[in-house]
Amino acid sequence: MIIVLKPDCSEPQLKHILEKITEMGFRHEVSRGVKRTLVGVIGEEDRLRNAPLRAIPGVEDVMSVLKPFKLASREFQEDASVFDLGHGVSVGGGNLILIAGPCAIEGEQVLFEIGRAVKEAGANVLRGGAFKPRTSPYSYQGMGEAGLKILRTVGDELEMPVVTEVMDPRQVELVNRYTDMFQIGARNMQNFNLLSEVGQTNRPVLLKRGMSASVQDLLMSAEYILASGNKQVILCERGIRSFDNSTRNLLDLAAVPNVRGLSHLPIIVDPSHATGRPDLIPSMALASIAAGADGVHIEVHNCPEKAMSDGPQALLPDQYAELVAQMRAIADLLGKTIPAPGDAVTV
Amino acid sequence: MIIVLKPDCSEPQLKHILEKITEMGFRHEVSRGVKRTLVGVIGEEDRLRNAPLRAIPGVEDVMSVLKPFKLASREFQEDASVFDLGHGVSVGGGNLILIAGPCAIEGEQVLFEIGRAVKEAGANVLRGGAFKPRTSPYSYQGMGEAGLKILRTVGDELEMPVVTEVMDPRQVELVNRYTDMFQIGARNMQNFNLLSEVGQTNRPVLLKRGMSASVQDLLMSAEYILASGNKQVILCERGIRSFDNSTRNLLDLAAVPNVRGLSHLPIIVDPSHATGRPDLIPSMALASIAAGADGVHIEVHNCPEKAMSDGPQALLPDQYAELVAQMRAIADLLGKTIPAPGDAVTV
Amino acid sequence: MIIVLKPDCSEPQLKHILEKITEMGFRHEVSRGVKRTLVGVIGEEDRLRNAPLRAIPGVEDVMSVLKPFKLASREFQEDASVFDLGHGVSVGGGNLILIAGPCAIEGEQVLFEIGRAVKEAGANVLRGGAFKPRTSPYSYQGMGEAGLKILRTVGDELEMPVVTEVMDPRQVELVNRYTDMFQIGARNMQNFNLLSEVGQTNRPVLLKRGMSASVQDLLMSAEYILASGNKQVILCERGIRSFDNSTRNLLDLAAVPNVRGLSHLPIIVDPSHATGRPDLIPSMALASIAAGADGVHIEVHNCPEKAMSDGPQALLPDQYAELVAQMRAIADLLGKTIPAPGDAVTV
Amino acid sequence: MIIVLKPDCSEPQLKHILEKITEMGFRHEVSRGVKRTLVGVIGEEDRLRNAPLRAIPGVEDVMSVLKPFKLASREFQEDASVFDLGHGVSVGGGNLILIAGPCAIEGEQVLFEIGRAVKEAGANVLRGGAFKPRTSPYSYQGMGEAGLKILRTVGDELEMPVVTEVMDPRQVELVNRYTDMFQIGARNMQNFNLLSEVGQTNRPVLLKRGMSASVQDLLMSAEYILASGNKQVILCERGIRSFDNSTRNLLDLAAVPNVRGLSHLPIIVDPSHATGRPDLIPSMALASIAAGADGVHIEVHNCPEKAMSDGPQALLPDQYAELVAQMRAIADLLGKTIPAPGDAVTV
């Protein structure tokens, strides 16, 4: 930590600052410049970060030198993390996951049809929501456990790993019985008790970036899960809020290489929620692969005009199949692999 | 709802659109303009809003005419809501609440001293956090139930209503035993299960605006609580994210008259978290009263440099007392009342 | 400047960094911490700021200790600046300006009527646009020089100083012949050649904050004018862009005390452009005075539904008069003065 | 235009609204819903857009059905525009431009060396700034005309078209004598007089998106140039402001397919200014090509630590060459062409 003193910081104030630093158990180093005096504070970073140094009279600013995340950092682990999702599908270190499926689970028949279509197109993880975090209390809230059962059944039939959202610490045990990967939605990225709860399972967690979260905030939320004992966190960029409402959110694709520099954790992209517009999703999916993402998450529905949730942003299975072919070509170019799940489906 | 057709929407597509509308149980009204054809869709607003009209081929845009919140709206209730917080303190309809206290509850002695000071200064609600939602898993997380007990004890001694944050649906019952008002923090504004849970109590809820929440989003979260049966929601503007990091967040003071036009619910302002800077808090507190806020929430600590949390943004008791005197003068000018809690403290 | 070295910065890289620093004519001071080595670079701030230190191999980050503006800073001038606008009206140091008038100058008769009304209400500066920066090339672009002549005539008749926008360095000489104060609009806040050009006059400049400008950016643009020789800059907060489109822009009222701490220059607020909504303007005007602003800029029209520009956001003269009475009450409370322009108008 | 009436709009108010609409020369169509009455207003879009309908008493909201840009729209011109930049290089319709060079022109020798390197790497347009819009008046402001001469000389020697920024309407004639394409910087995107001035030349214009400009704002600024007579506008996405300061700006890559749907104009991407970080530029350049951009603009310097401007964000020639090879592979995959400028350089 570096303390910048106010230009009018008095000698007694400086003395008090140095005493406080010593009292807190840190070392200090004073550097007198032409216009400002600086005090370097040396000690254990976490304790430093939590010390209310800025509240001491005479202090103008406190600048941090280190990043606040540790277990999530590249410095902690040099090599890219690779996680196994089951059915032969892994993510990270050159393995891409293509997650696809409807926004909400609506029934076994429709999920099976969509699932079979996306698997044939090349998807390797099936998604579907049983608990839906909706802005309005009057919107469809999901099928709950019945939906989870359907998801599990369809995933097993298709031999695909499945992912579904968990919204509440009280649901973690239940959801854990049915899913291969938890999804934490953007609105819950800083629901710290939920993070701790999934952090106590040994199930991979797909952590979506909050709409007002910086890349560092995202990594700090990952840190909560890691610090609770679960090392399997996959990050997901899905757009942040901006002033331009021509897209639902603003996809921050630079977060992909940005995270890759800072962390060993895989990061995928969700162009469906980021843009909310089927005409933009394919371009953004291709761009995601080119940018080095470890996967892409896309909503697909076989009849968007009948979907219970987010129909207008779903791709049709044919559009998805065409897109996967293009993504595969770019992945090949970059030497990436898209694992095929299970055996061929014989239905 | 108004559907705007694509310029190249074919007659069969239009026919399909009208059939779908009829099938969903709505009426339609076609209006052919020079460059665009519009279809008015008439029916129950909630069902309309959830229908995936935009997913139907030939549709360019869907424009909503009505606001999505109902119970929170001025149209639902013309008169300003007034809620009783206990100890003679109410909020809304000309009654202002001045909430003050430390960020975190650190012990009975320090809370009592701060509480007595802010009460003498004119505050009428005591705050203090027992469960702290911290960005880092390595930061101080609060005293938990022990803190709640201290808060209750000190509130009773000082005859002041108390408010404290609840972060987890599993804590609602516990916190409900100790507090006079729940606080839902900014990071949990869209933790819908938590909203539903406090919505099932009959305790007032202070709902803070999320960092990426629009005013409408805030009212929709209030709607969750109202729709669950609890009518006592107090909104709190506390700053949203912006590109200018010279303040912690960007205080959106226009939200105060904006909400007042849209809703009957009281709205207060938290300049402490909005700015994060003691040098800006007093001006923003005065501006809040002048803007018509129903109260102000300010963090006060008697020794900021020793605070367990957010010390650098706390006002000293003397600074707070001076500020309350100025706020009172503006409140008087506007014909507002600041209820005094309980009897005089005899300690 | 403080250079933070990469964790893997080699000794030869450090040697090269120190040589470069010496070569640039600066001194250096190395501080080896547990996890990072820092290099303090000491020398003239402006030269330091422009040196591409971050481009040197081995450098992770460069942190600046000082603010980049000088002439605009409180450190350069302790006392608040006060500027004379003519007709007995001055701004700063406790003197408030109430600027009012139509968005665009539309004719002498209408401007005179509006001007007389706002003067009677208590305004002390008359505004009106002759050159209008419109987002669309198909919108009304203003009367040009004919409008300037009308503004001058009406200002003289009413004995009020006048302000009007200048958009182009080529117009500065022309506008200078007619106005008492230049206005630089938000879209031109970083039109540096225009800033330099008005900086070469000795006419006060009302500099509006750009929609994506930080407070520091605003002060840097003021610095351009000051560095060109013109010391009379009045800043204007008028809202920045945000994700919530329920108001036109997001009024950043904390910018008022923020600027006051950083700079000796006066700062006023424009709630008309910030909110774009007549129902929010009065509250935000009162809040501005309470926050310590040196004035308020409000659009007034006697027939908004016939206005050539921005009619929907104009207040009616009666609404304005009522608002001024309230602003005056708060100003009195804070010990501020609203100078009355010229003599009484005898028309 | 659709007018939404207030719920309490009286019949006399409605009558007045309809009279005003007729008076303005428009037709109207009233539609009475359950909760709101709507009035469709039919007439010439531009005139409608400028009419202050929202200022009429009883009006709650006014919703626009059409986009405000015309000449820039896909509806105006179905086919993608293709522009010739000279030396055999064209942009649009499958032809990509790779613009590269230093931020500022610093001298003939250094520009020639960088230019030769980027041409050999595969760049087909040379860039360099002679007039630099700098946030600080104390930063390097560029070589002016001397720089333009150098740029012209080096472009001719290397047989590459050149692009350079113009900041001031008074410079347009001068810059026009030396450059093959004007650049309008982000800070001048809404300098409407400058747009009109370059709109009166017949030289291609590279129009960069402002930091707070929506995609629609960008197209409206293009419309200014088109409406002035110059049909050759190339748009450039270069990042907008966001709350996450880990990158300089936030690259909005979805703007590429977004613009492509709305307009026939080419759009390129500038990852250098968008991210400000050499470690992120290559990924974002590849993503841009994959997203369908018509080119990429990248700053390259052979000695970033000596650059006069923006050294820390420049790629080295070798890094650029490696990147071009990868961009070319993706371009090939998508069936795009990167025109080679002039003949082989024989130096």
Side-chain angles (χ1 to χ4, degrees):
Chain A
M1 292 284 175
I2 297 161
I3 295 180
V4 183
L5 300 187
K6 289 185 179 165
D8 58 358
C9 178
S10 65
E11 281 301 317
Q13 281 181 323
L14 174 56
K15 191 155 167 283
H16 175 70
I17 291 167
L18 300 182
E19 281 167 7
K20 292 298 298 181
I21 292 169
T22 304
E23 199 177 287
M24 291 171 185
F26 307 129
R27 288 190 299 119
H28 50 69
E29 201 170 88
V30 179
S31 165
R32 293 175 194 266
V34 184
K35 298 209 166 174
R36 284 290 189 287
T37 295
L38 309 183
V39 181
V41 190
I42 300 156
E44 195 202 331
E45 183 70 14
D46 287 337
R47 284 188 48 241
L48 272 172
R49 202 174 290 278
N50 288 320
L53 299 171
R54 200 186 291 258
I56 311 177
V59 172
E60 179 174 285
D61 203 1
V62 176
M63 301 193 294
S64 183
V65 173
L66 295 181
K67 298 276 185 280
F69 45 88
K70 292 188 294 192
L71 304 175
S73 73
R74 274 273 176 207
E75 292 184 36
F76 178 77
Q77 181 185 314
E78 180 75 24
D79 292 336
S81 284
V82 183
F83 306 129
D84 180 12
L85 306 181
H87 288 293
V89 177
S90 59
V91 58
N95 299 293
L96 306 188
I97 45 173
L98 303 185
I99 304 176
C103 182
I105 299 161
E106 301 167 11
E108 187 168 334
Q109 183 59 25
V110 64
L111 185 64
F112 182 80
E113 280 174 20
I114 296 171
R116 184 172 53 179
V118 299
K119 185 176 179 189
E120 280 171 5
N124 52 19
V125 181
L126 179 65
R127 65 147 285 129
F131 298 104
K132 300 300 306 168
R134 304 301 295 275
T135 308
S136 168
Y138 311 120
S139 295
Y140 178 65
Q141 309 274 326
M143 291 181 77
E145 186 170 4
L148 295 175
K149 285 180 178 164
I150 290 172
L151 180 64
R152 181 71 273 156
T153 302
V154 174
D156 287 346
E157 281 186 274
L158 294 171
E159 300 184 61
M160 292 176 86
V162 300
V163 59
T164 198
E165 179 159 359
V166 61
M167 286 173 62
D168 187 322
R170 297 171 300 187
Q171 297 164 347
V172 169
E173 196 195 332
L174 174 72
V175 176
N176 197 20
R177 291 206 294 272
Y178 296 102
T179 196
D180 297 303
M181 175 161 59
F182 290 112
Q183 177 181 309
I184 304 284
R187 289 173 183 76
N188 282 312
M189 192 202 83
Q190 293 191 318
N191 184 336
F192 300 117
N193 291 27
L194 179 59
L195 298 179
S196 297
E197 204 70 27
V198 297
Q200 286 160 45
T201 72
N202 56 5
R203 180 80 65 202
V205 181
L206 181 64
L207 177 65
K208 300 188 96 174
R209 181 179 180 183
M211 282 181 288
S212 58
S214 66
V215 164
Q216 181 170 298
D217 292 337
L218 174 61
L219 290 168
M220 287 309 291
S221 285
E223 190 81 11
Y224 258 94
I225 300 171
L226 300 172
S228 298
N230 186 343
K231 302 307 179 200
Q232 304 181 75
V233 180
I234 298 106
L235 306 169
C236 182
E237 162 61 33
R238 46 79 74 207
I240 58 177
R241 280 220 128 165
S242 93
F243 55 81
D244 190 345
N245 58 16
S246 65
T247 51
R248 182 193 272 207
N249 292 286
L250 184 67
L251 181 63
D252 175 14
L253 208 49
V256 172
N258 200 351
V259 162
R260 203 188 312 121
L262 295 166
S263 177
H264 54 88
L265 298 172
I267 176 163
I268 72 166
V269 177
D270 173 357
S272 299
H273 286 89
T275 66
R277 285 175 47 184
D279 58 328
L280 307 184
I281 292 169
S283 298
M284 289 304 98
L286 296 180
S288 301
I289 301 295
D294 295 295
V296 174
H297 172 288
I298 290 178
E299 293 193 347
V300 178
H301 201 287
N302 54 9
C303 188
E305 69 190 45
K306 285 189 179 162
M308 303 295 284
S309 176
D310 273 352
Q313 78 186 27
L315 291 191
L316 291 163
D318 283 357
Q319 293 172 314
Y320 183 69
E322 189 183 339
L323 173 58
V324 173
Q326 292 177 294
M327 288 196 285
R328 194 179 293 280
I330 295 180
D332 286 349
L333 208 62
L334 302 176
K336 303 288 182 76
T337 302
I338 303 172
D343 297 327
V345 193
T346 54
V347 281
Chain B
M1 292 286 173
I2 297 162
I3 294 180
V4 182
L5 299 188
K6 288 185 180 165
D8 59 357
C9 178
S10 66
E11 281 301 317
Q13 282 181 321
L14 175 55
K15 188 153 170 283
H16 175 70
I17 291 167
L18 300 181
E19 282 168 7
K20 293 296 299 181
I21 291 169
T22 304
E23 197 177 288
M24 291 171 185
F26 306 130
R27 287 190 299 118
H28 50 70
E29 201 169 89
V30 179
S31 165
R32 292 174 194 267
V34 184
K35 298 209 166 175
R36 284 290 188 287
T37 295
L38 308 184
V39 181
V41 189
I42 299 158
E44 196 202 330
E45 182 70 13
D46 286 337
R47 285 187 47 241
L48 273 172
R49 202 174 290 280
N50 288 319
L53 299 170
R54 200 186 292 259
I56 311 177
V59 173
E60 178 173 286
D61 203 0
V62 176
M63 301 192 294
S64 183
V65 173
L66 295 181
K67 298 276 184 279
F69 45 88
K70 293 188 294 192
L71 304 175
S73 73
R74 276 273 176 206
E75 293 184 35
F76 178 78
Q77 181 186 314
E78 180 76 26
D79 293 335
S81 284
V82 183
F83 306 129
D84 181 11
L85 306 181
H87 288 294
V89 177
S90 59
V91 58
N95 299 292
L96 306 188
I97 44 172
L98 302 186
I99 305 177
C103 182
I105 299 161
E106 301 167 12
E108 187 168 335
Q109 182 60 24
V110 65
L111 185 64
F112 183 80
E113 280 172 20
I114 297 171
R116 184 170 55 179
V118 298
K119 185 177 179 186
E120 279 170 6
N124 52 19
V125 181
L126 179 64
R127 66 146 285 130
F131 297 103
K132 301 300 306 168
R134 303 302 295 275
T135 307
S136 167
Y138 311 120
S139 295
Y140 179 65
Q141 310 273 326
M143 291 181 75
E145 186 170 5
L148 295 174
K149 285 180 178 164
I150 290 173
L151 181 64
R152 181 72 273 157
T153 302
V154 173
D156 287 345
E157 281 185 276
L158 294 171
E159 300 185 61
M160 292 176 85
V162 299
V163 58
T164 197
E165 179 159 0
V166 60
M167 286 173 62
D168 187 323
R170 296 171 300 185
Q171 298 164 345
V172 169
E173 195 195 333
L174 174 72
V175 176
N176 197 20
R177 292 205 294 274
Y178 296 101
T179 196
D180 297 302
M181 175 161 58
F182 289 111
Q183 178 181 310
I184 303 284
R187 287 173 184 77
N188 281 313
M189 192 202 84
Q190 293 192 319
N191 183 336
F192 301 118
N193 291 28
L194 179 59
L195 298 179
S196 298
E197 203 71 28
V198 297
Q200 287 160 44
T201 72
N202 56 5
R203 180 80 65 201
V205 180
L206 181 64
L207 178 64
K208 300 188 97 174
R209 181 178 180 185
M211 281 182 287
S212 59
S214 66
V215 164
Q216 181 169 299
D217 292 337
L218 174 62
L219 289 168
M220 287 310 291
S221 285
E223 191 80 12
Y224 258 93
I225 301 172
L226 299 172
S228 299
N230 185 344
K231 302 306 178 202
Q232 302 181 75
V233 180
I234 297 107
L235 306 169
C236 182
E237 162 62 33
R238 47 79 75 210
I240 58 178
R241 278 221 130 165
S242 94
F243 56 81
D244 190 345
N245 59 13
S246 65
T247 51
R248 181 192 273 207
N249 292 286
L250 185 67
L251 181 64
D252 176 14
L253 208 50
V256 172
N258 200 352
V259 162
R260 203 189 311 120
L262 295 166
S263 177
H264 54 88
L265 298 173
I267 177 165
I268 71 166
V269 177
D270 173 357
S272 297
H273 286 89
T275 66
R277 286 176 45 184
D279 57 328
L280 307 183
I281 292 169
S283 298
M284 290 303 98
L286 296 179
S288 300
I289 302 295
D294 295 295
V296 173
H297 172 288
I298 289 177
E299 293 194 348
V300 177
H301 202 287
N302 54 9
C303 188
E305 68 190 45
K306 284 188 180 161
M308 302 295 285
S309 176
D310 272 353
Q313 78 186 27
L315 292 191
L316 291 163
D318 283 357
Q319 294 172 315
Y320 183 69
E322 190 183 339
L323 172 58
V324 173
Q326 291 177 296
M327 289 197 285
R328 194 179 293 280
I330 295 180
D332 286 349
L333 208 63
L334 301 176
K336 303 288 182 74
T337 302
I338 303 172
D343 298 327
V345 193
T346 54
V347 281
Chain C
M1 291 287 174
I2 297 161
I3 295 179
V4 183
L5 299 188
K6 289 185 179 165
D8 58 357
C9 178
S10 66
E11 282 301 316
Q13 281 181 322
L14 174 55
K15 190 155 168 281
H16 175 69
I17 291 167
L18 300 181
E19 282 167 7
K20 292 298 299 183
I21 291 169
T22 305
E23 199 177 287
M24 291 170 183
F26 306 130
R27 285 190 299 118
H28 50 68
E29 202 169 89
V30 179
S31 166
R32 292 174 194 266
V34 184
K35 297 210 167 177
R36 284 290 190 286
T37 296
L38 309 183
V39 181
V41 190
I42 299 157
E44 196 201 329
E45 182 70 15
D46 287 337
R47 284 186 50 240
L48 273 171
R49 201 174 291 279
N50 289 318
L53 298 171
R54 198 186 292 256
I56 312 178
V59 172
E60 178 173 288
D61 202 1
V62 177
M63 301 193 293
S64 183
V65 173
L66 296 181
K67 298 273 183 283
F69 45 87
K70 294 188 295 190
L71 303 175
S73 73
R74 275 275 176 205
E75 293 184 36
F76 179 78
Q77 181 186 314
E78 182 75 25
D79 293 334
S81 284
V82 183
F83 305 129
D84 181 13
L85 306 181
H87 289 293
V89 177
S90 58
V91 59
N95 300 291
L96 306 188
I97 44 173
L98 303 185
I99 305 177
C103 182
I105 299 162
E106 300 167 11
E108 187 168 337
Q109 183 59 26
V110 65
L111 185 65
F112 183 80
E113 280 173 19
I114 297 170
R116 185 171 55 179
V118 298
K119 186 177 179 186
E120 280 171 5
N124 52 19
V125 180
L126 179 65
R127 67 145 284 129
F131 298 103
K132 301 300 306 167
R134 303 302 295 276
T135 306
S136 167
Y138 310 120
S139 295
Y140 178 65
Q141 308 275 326
M143 291 182 74
E145 186 171 4
L148 295 175
K149 284 180 178 164
I150 289 171
L151 180 64
R152 182 72 272 157
T153 301
V154 173
D156 287 347
E157 280 185 275
L158 295 170
E159 300 185 60
M160 292 176 86
V162 298
V163 59
T164 199
E165 179 160 359
V166 60
M167 287 174 61
D168 186 324
R170 296 172 301 186
Q171 296 164 346
V172 169
E173 196 195 333
L174 174 72
V175 176
N176 197 19
R177 291 206 295 271
Y178 295 103
T179 196
D180 296 303
M181 176 160 58
F182 290 110
Q183 178 181 310
I184 303 284
R187 288 173 183 77
N188 281 312
M189 192 202 83
Q190 292 191 319
N191 183 336
F192 300 118
N193 290 27
L194 179 59
L195 299 179
S196 297
E197 203 72 27
V198 298
Q200 286 161 44
T201 70
N202 56 4
R203 179 81 65 202
V205 180
L206 181 64
L207 178 64
K208 300 187 98 174
R209 182 178 179 184
M211 282 181 287
S212 58
S214 66
V215 164
Q216 181 170 299
D217 291 337
L218 174 61
L219 289 169
M220 287 310 291
S221 285
E223 191 81 12
Y224 257 94
I225 301 172
L226 300 172
S228 299
N230 186 345
K231 302 306 177 199
Q232 302 181 74
V233 179
I234 298 106
L235 306 169
C236 182
E237 163 61 34
R238 47 79 74 206
I240 58 177
R241 280 220 129 165
S242 94
F243 56 81
D244 190 344
N245 59 16
S246 65
T247 51
R248 181 192 274 208
N249 292 286
L250 185 68
L251 182 63
D252 175 15
L253 208 50
V256 171
N258 201 350
V259 161
R260 202 188 313 118
L262 295 166
S263 177
H264 53 87
L265 297 173
I267 177 164
I268 72 167
V269 177
D270 173 359
S272 299
H273 286 88
T275 67
R277 285 177 46 184
D279 57 328
L280 307 184
I281 292 170
S283 298
M284 289 303 99
L286 296 180
S288 300
I289 301 294
D294 296 294
V296 173
H297 172 287
I298 289 178
E299 293 195 348
V300 177
H301 201 288
N302 53 10
C303 188
E305 68 190 45
K306 285 189 178 161
M308 303 294 286
S309 175
D310 272 353
Q313 78 186 29
L315 291 191
L316 290 164
D318 283 358
Q319 295 172 313
Y320 183 69
E322 191 183 337
L323 173 58
V324 173
Q326 291 176 295
M327 289 197 284
R328 195 179 292 279
I330 295 180
D332 285 351
L333 209 62
L334 302 176
K336 302 287 182 76
T337 302
I338 303 172
D343 296 329
V345 193
T346 54
V347 280
Chain D
M1 290 286 174
I2 297 162
I3 295 179
V4 183
L5 299 188
K6 288 184 179 167
D8 58 358
C9 178
S10 66
E11 281 301 317
Q13 281 182 323
L14 175 55
K15 188 154 170 282
H16 175 69
I17 290 168
L18 300 181
E19 281 168 7
K20 292 298 300 183
I21 291 170
T22 305
E23 198 177 288
M24 291 171 184
F26 307 130
R27 287 189 300 119
H28 50 69
E29 201 168 90
V30 178
S31 164
R32 291 173 196 267
V34 184
K35 297 209 166 175
R36 283 291 190 287
T37 296
L38 308 183
V39 181
V41 190
I42 300 156
E44 195 201 330
E45 181 70 13
D46 287 337
R47 284 186 48 240
L48 273 171
R49 201 173 290 278
N50 289 318
L53 300 169
R54 198 187 293 256
I56 311 178
V59 173
E60 178 172 286
D61 202 0
V62 176
M63 301 192 293
S64 184
V65 173
L66 296 181
K67 298 275 183 284
F69 46 88
K70 292 189 295 192
L71 304 175
S73 74
R74 275 274 176 205
E75 293 185 35
F76 178 78
Q77 181 186 315
E78 182 75 25
D79 293 334
S81 283
V82 183
F83 306 129
D84 181 12
L85 306 181
H87 288 294
V89 177
S90 59
V91 59
N95 298 293
L96 306 188
I97 44 173
L98 302 185
I99 305 177
C103 182
I105 299 161
E106 301 167 11
E108 187 168 335
Q109 183 59 25
V110 65
L111 185 64
F112 182 79
E113 279 172 22
I114 297 170
R116 185 172 53 179
V118 299
K119 185 177 179 188
E120 279 171 6
N124 52 20
V125 180
L126 180 64
R127 66 147 284 130
F131 298 103
K132 300 300 306 170
R134 303 301 294 276
T135 306
S136 166
Y138 311 120
S139 295
Y140 178 65
Q141 308 275 325
M143 290 183 75
E145 186 171 4
L148 294 175
K149 284 181 179 164
I150 289 172
L151 181 64
R152 182 70 274 157
T153 301
V154 173
D156 287 346
E157 280 185 276
L158 294 170
E159 300 185 60
M160 291 175 87
V162 299
V163 57
T164 198
E165 178 160 0
V166 60
M167 287 174 60
D168 186 324
R170 296 172 301 186
Q171 296 163 347
V172 170
E173 195 195 333
L174 174 72
V175 176
N176 197 19
R177 291 206 296 271
Y178 295 102
T179 196
D180 296 304
M181 175 160 59
F182 289 110
Q183 178 181 310
I184 304 284
R187 289 173 182 76
N188 281 312
M189 192 203 84
Q190 292 192 319
N191 183 337
F192 301 117
N193 291 27
L194 178 60
L195 298 178
S196 298
E197 203 71 26
V198 297
Q200 286 160 44
T201 72
N202 55 6
R203 180 80 66 200
V205 180
L206 181 65
L207 177 65
K208 300 187 97 174
R209 181 178 180 184
M211 282 180 288
S212 59
S214 66
V215 164
Q216 181 170 298
D217 291 337
L218 174 61
L219 289 168
M220 287 309 290
S221 286
E223 190 81 11
Y224 257 94
I225 301 172
L226 299 171
S228 300
N230 186 343
K231 302 306 177 201
Q232 303 181 76
V233 180
I234 298 106
L235 306 168
C236 182
E237 162 61 33
R238 46 80 73 208
I240 59 178
R241 279 220 131 166
S242 94
F243 55 81
D244 190 344
N245 58 16
S246 65
T247 51
R248 180 192 274 206
N249 293 286
L250 185 67
L251 182 63
D252 175 14
L253 208 51
V256 171
N258 201 350
V259 161
R260 203 188 313 119
L262 295 166
S263 177
H264 53 88
L265 297 173
I267 178 165
I268 71 167
V269 177
D270 172 359
S272 299
H273 286 89
T275 65
R277 285 176 46 184
D279 57 328
L280 307 183
I281 292 169
S283 298
M284 289 303 99
L286 296 180
S288 301
I289 301 295
D294 296 294
V296 173
H297 172 288
I298 289 177
E299 293 194 351
V300 177
H301 201 288
N302 53 10
C303 188
E305 68 190 46
K306 285 188 179 162
M308 303 295 285
S309 176
D310 272 353
Q313 78 186 29
L315 292 192
L316 290 163
D318 283 357
Q319 294 172 313
Y320 183 69
E322 190 183 339
L323 172 58
V324 172
Q326 291 176 294
M327 289 197 284
R328 194 180 293 279
I330 295 181
D332 285 349
L333 208 63
L334 302 176
K336 303 288 183 76
T337 302
I338 303 172
D343 296 329
V345 193
T346 53
V347 280

